[in-house]
Amino acid sequence: MTGADQQASLEGVLKDEILRMYQEVADNPDAEFHFFHGREAAEMFDYDPEWLERAPAGAVDSFAGVGNPHERSELKPGETVLDLGSGAGLDAIIASWRVGPEGRVIGVDLNPSMCRKAQANLAATGGSMECHEGRMEEIPLPDASADVVISNGVVNLSFQKRRVAEEMYRVLKPGGRISITDIVSGRELSQAIVNDPKLWAA
Ligand SMILES: C[S@@+](CC[C@H](N)C(=O)[O-])C[C@H]1O[C@@H](n2cnc3c(N)ncnc32)[C@H](O)[C@@H]1O
């Protein structure tokens, strides 16, 4: 097997594990996971308690972010926000409150059932979002579509992080902003960790 074949095969396994793991967080949030999630995680990342009371329980319980992209997003009424890897929708819901009825929230998620879940959670708040099934490495949107890109714990899941960054810049309007929270390792990870789809997917 060539290096490229090996990477393609690992990427395929990783994709299956990502689909499985976040589906499980969405369907069964009370199960044991080896990462913080739900209300406990959102409180740890200083999400406004009022947001957590106001949002549908399904979105809060299945929250799987690693930080708080709203602290620096400076969203303004009327803006268009793209949430990359929108999951069960808590970040999209908060973004929709901040951009208001004149604004627009667009989600992109690898998993179509997460898109449906996020849209249902948003509808329960009286708002709406469009959500596209797709990959952050190939964002299914035209150039210059968004004022702001937010993302929470998703870029670390990609094998092609440079490509993801290029895509974010492509879909941003001139003068647009990016506010992402993610995981960065200060030291090189061992091959045992890098080759373990469960650890990479989390
Ligand atoms: C960490 S969660 C996102 C948390 C979310 N912002 C929230 O409010 O709960 C990860 C989500 O990213 C999606 N995802 C993973 N890899 C992706 C990719 N390459 N492109 C688009 N979405 C991806 C997963 O399907 C999952 O729904």
Side-chain angles (χ1 to χ4, degrees), residues 164-195:
V164 175
E166 286 166 0
E167 280 292 271
M168 287 196 237
Y169 278 92
R170 180 184 66 75
V171 299
L172 270 180
K173 295 178 188 171
R177 312 186 301 281
I178 296 175
S179 180
I180 63 175
T181 41
D182 223 296
I183 301 171
V184 176
S185 174
R187 60 190 164 87
E188 188 134 353
L189 300 174
S190 71
Q191 277 309 304
I193 293 176
V194 171
N195 290 340

Side-chain angles (χ1 to χ4, degrees), residues 18 63-64 85-87 90-91 109-110 134-137 152-153 157:
I18 288 170
F63 170 70
S86 34
L90 180 63
D91 288 319
D109 204 288
L110 189 62
R135 299 167 60 241
M136 61 186 153
E137 296 85 353
N152 194 353
L157 301 173

Side-chain angles (χ1 to χ4, degrees), residues 9-191:
S9 135
L10 194 53
E11 280 192 68
V13 175
L14 178 63
K15 181 181 170 193
D16 290 345
E17 184 57 23
I18 288 170
L19 289 172
R20 189 198 66 72
M21 187 173 295
Y22 292 103
Q23 187 73 51
E24 179 68 6
V25 182
D27 292 346
N28 202 1
D30 292 334
E32 284 276 313
F33 296 94
H34 61 276
F35 51 89
F36 292 106
H37 67 286
R39 180 176 290 269
E40 182 187 14
E43 285 174 351
M44 193 186 327
F45 304 137
D46 282 337
Y47 275 57
D48 187 330
E50 195 197 308
W51 293 341
L52 302 180
E53 284 313 309
R54 223 174 126 195
V60 177
D61 294 346
S62 300
F63 170 70
V66 300
N68 185 342
H70 310 287
E71 280 181 343
R72 292 179 184 209
S73 61
E74 295 178 9
L75 296 179
K76 295 177 194 62
E79 286 190 317
T80 297
V81 190
L82 166 63
D83 184 6
L84 272 189
S86 34
L90 180 63
D91 288 319
I93 288 168
I94 294 166
S96 81
W97 290 332
R98 298 185 79 191
V99 297
E102 282 85 42
R104 190 170 156 217
V105 178
I106 307 170
V108 167
D109 204 288
L110 189 62
N111 184 342
S113 88
M114 296 305 276
C115 260
R116 286 192 290 275
K117 204 167 270 274
Q119 286 176 308
N121 280 329
L122 230 125
T125 70
S128 70
M129 76 186 273
E130 58 187 90
C131 190
H132 301 267
E133 173 186 357
R135 299 167 60 241
M136 61 186 153
E137 296 85 353
E138 215 169 330
I139 300 174
L141 290 177
D143 299 355
S145 314
D147 297 296
V148 185
V149 175
I150 62 169
S151 181
N152 194 353
V154 185
V155 178
N156 72 90
L157 301 173
S158 179
F159 270 80
Q160 301 173 57
K161 296 178 176 62
R162 181 177 291 273
R163 172 95 188 124
V164 175
E166 286 166 0
E167 280 292 271
M168 287 196 237
Y169 278 92
R170 180 184 66 75
V171 299
L172 270 180
K173 295 178 188 171
R177 312 186 301 281
I178 296 175
S179 180
I180 63 175
T181 41
D182 223 296
I183 301 171
V184 176
S185 174
R187 60 190 164 87
E188 188 134 353
L189 300 174
S190 71
Q191 277 309 304

